[in-house]
Amino acid sequence: PTGAVVAGARVDAAGPAGATATVVSAADGVFTLAGLAPGAWRLTVSAPGFTDRVVSVTLPRDGGLDVGLTPAGIAETVTVSV
């Protein structure tokens, strides 16, 4: 459903001077990346069945960040033999 939370989404953060961090969203879809250095960060959010989403943020930042994920396309192959 649209607007539903995604539990277990992986959030990979890449920041200044090669710093990295990884967390997984909780059952309520919330994730917390604590102790990140100020500067520009790139967050890659991924979860099974969804297309990865990349978001750029600058820290420090007030408030939360909602990251919407899009369901991955369904691929189907049909083979016809004659």
Side-chain angles (χ1 to χ4, degrees):
T2 300
V5 299
V6 178
R10 178 183 167 123
V11 182
D12 293 303
T20 61
T22 300
V23 296
V24 175
S25 66
D28 60 0
V30 173
F31 64 90
T32 302
L33 287 161
L36 300 182
W41 285 81
R42 178 182 154 150
L43 307 181
T44 303
V45 183
S46 57
F50 293 90
T51 302
D52 291 358
R53 175 83 184 268
V54 178
V55 179
S56 296
V57 297
T58 300
L59 301 178
R61 174 187 170 84
D62 291 331
L65 175 66
D66 288 332
V67 180
L69 295 178
T70 303
I74 298 172
E76 187 172 320
T77 303
V78 177
T79 304
V80 178
S81 298
V82 276

